[in-house]
């Protein structure tokens, strides 16, 4: 069985940990001096390498999970990615009603969609997933004129054009929920 590296970067209270096999014992490690302890952070494994996207500080990458390299944030403005996915050689960073695309996790990010790509939707704390090379954004916290939990589903194959394939979702509005891809399906929790 192949040993998969797993990294957990928890930036609020718990020190970061690493394990070499799912379910194996976890080893705590210390982050370098100056490593952000921001609440808003997204982690992603891109081509087998861990990346931590901190808002507004920037991006950290590592070859081994112990030594980290810093790069200033390429996203600018008041937005940052809530989730980062890789489909083939293309990376997608999904933020609060903003989508960026790049072939390089550190640089060359271009904005490909803004709030107007998500009709009637401006939310954060949504769930994000990839299934069959399609990006999905599900639910979140509505930031519009009447704030509150929301439940729409948006789907895209390129990050720029989005459709709403489920206009009447069988679940209620939600935020800070999770969705995973398993056995060819999306599982919303």
């Amino acid at each position: 069985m192949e040993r998969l590296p797993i990294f957990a970067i928890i930036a609020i209270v718990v020190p970061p940990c690493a394990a070499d096999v799912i379910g194996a014992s976890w080893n705590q490690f210390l982050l370098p001096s100056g490593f952000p302890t921001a609440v808003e952070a997204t982690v992603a494994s891109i081509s087998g390498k861990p990346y931590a996207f901190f808002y507004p500080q920037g991006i950290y990458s590592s070859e081994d999970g112990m030594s980290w390299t810093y790069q200033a944030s390429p996203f600018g403005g008041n937005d940052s990615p809530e989730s980062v996915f890789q489909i083939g050689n293309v990376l997608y960073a999904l933020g609060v009603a903003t989508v960026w695309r790049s072939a390089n996790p550190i640089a060359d990010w271009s904005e490909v969609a803004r709030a107007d790509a998500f009709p009637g939707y401006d939310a954060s704390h949504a769930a994000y997933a990839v299934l069959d090379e399609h990006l999905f954004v599900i639910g979140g916290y509505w930031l519009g004129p009447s704030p509150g939990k929301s439940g729409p589903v948006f789907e895209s194959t390129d990050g720029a054009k989005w459709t709403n394939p489920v206009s009447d979702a069988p679940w209620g509005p939600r935020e800070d929920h999770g969705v995973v891809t398993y056995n060819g399906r999306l599982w919303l929790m």
Side-chain angles (χ1 to χ4, degrees):
M1 180 172 139
E2 181 182 356
R3 296 173 65 95
L4 302 171
I6 301 171
F7 296 94
I9 299 175
I10 303 169
I12 300 173
V13 177
V14 181
C17 302
D20 59 2
V21 175
I22 295 174
S25 64
W26 289 78
N27 299 312
Q28 180 178 332
F29 63 91
L30 299 175
L31 291 171
S33 171
F35 201 87
T37 57
V39 173
E40 294 186 41
T42 297
V43 295
S45 176
I46 301 169
S47 299
K49 184 176 175 181
Y51 287 83
F53 296 78
F54 286 92
Y55 174 75
Q57 293 90 342
I59 303 171
Y60 286 78
S61 62
S62 177
E63 296 293 333
D64 60 6
M66 304 299 171
S67 300
W68 293 83
T69 303
Y70 168 78
Q71 173 69 34
S73 177
F75 303 108
N78 293 323
D79 205 354
S80 67
E82 289 190 357
S83 197
V84 178
F85 292 101
Q86 183 173 8
I87 299 177
N89 293 326
V90 179
L91 303 170
Y92 295 91
L94 291 84
V96 178
T98 307
V99 180
W100 297 272
R101 184 170 49 207
S102 176
N104 177 344
I106 297 296
D108 303 325
W109 288 92
S110 60
E111 185 179 289
V112 295
R114 296 233 14 110
D116 58 355
F118 304 88
Y121 186 72
D122 183 14
S124 66
H125 304 280
Y128 306 93
V130 172
L131 176 65
D132 296 330
E133 298 192 0
H134 290 238
L135 296 161
F136 288 88
V137 177
I138 302 172
Y141 187 83
W142 171 253
L143 303 171
S146 301
K149 296 177 184 178
S150 63
V153 176
F154 290 96
E155 177 184 10
S156 176
T157 57
D158 64 4
K161 296 178 189 137
W162 291 83
T163 62
N164 183 219
V166 180
S167 59
D168 190 20
W171 56 82
R174 58 192 63 219
E175 67 173 309
D176 293 324
H177 50 292
V179 64
V180 296
T181 303
Y182 173 72
N183 205 19
R185 294 181 172 188
L186 293 176
W187 294 74
L188 179 68
M189 297 172 217

